Amino acid sequence: MASFGGSTRRHPRSRGRTWPDRATLGIIGVICAVAGFFVLGIVLGPVAMVCGWLAMGRSWSGARPVQAVVALVLGAIDTLLAIIWLASATGSGYGMF
C-alpha cells in the first residue's frame, strides 16, 4: 500500500517528452503557411515561421525535418506577400506595381 506523498510512480505519461514535439510543430507550421496564402497571411505567416524555427530545434545546423524547412520558407513567402499586398493597398491610388 502506497503512503501519502511517497508514490513510486511519478508521472507515467511524461516519459521526457513535451507537447508539442518537433514533428507536430512542423506540421502545424505547414498548415498555417498554406492557410496563410488564403486568409490572414500577415498573422499566419509569422506563426508558420516560428513553428518552423522551433521544429528545427532553434538552430541552423544539423539534420532538419522537411516539414520545418517548408514551414519556415512558406511562412516567409507568405509574410512577404502580405506586406507587399498591404503596401500596395494603402498607396495614394497608383499602387505599388
Side-chain angles (χ1 to χ4, degrees), residues 40-59:
L40 295 173
I42 197 69
V43 175
L44 292 176
V47 169
M49 289 182 0
V50 168
C51 286
W53 177 253
L54 291 175
M56 287 193 323
R58 296 180 290 198
S59 68

Side-chain angles (χ1 to χ4, degrees), residues 19-83:
W19 192 91
D21 57 353
R22 290 183 182 177
T24 306
L25 277 172
I27 293 170
I28 290 171
V30 170
I31 291 171
C32 286
V34 171
F37 281 113
F38 301 106
V39 293
L40 295 173
I42 197 69
V43 175
L44 292 176
V47 169
M49 289 182 0
V50 168
C51 286
W53 177 253
L54 291 175
M56 287 193 323
R58 296 180 290 198
S59 68
W60 290 107
S61 62
R64 289 176 230 129
V66 174
Q67 294 95 354
V69 176
V70 169
L72 190 67
V73 170
L74 287 181
I77 292 171
D78 192 18
T79 304
L80 184 65
L81 288 176
I83 289 173

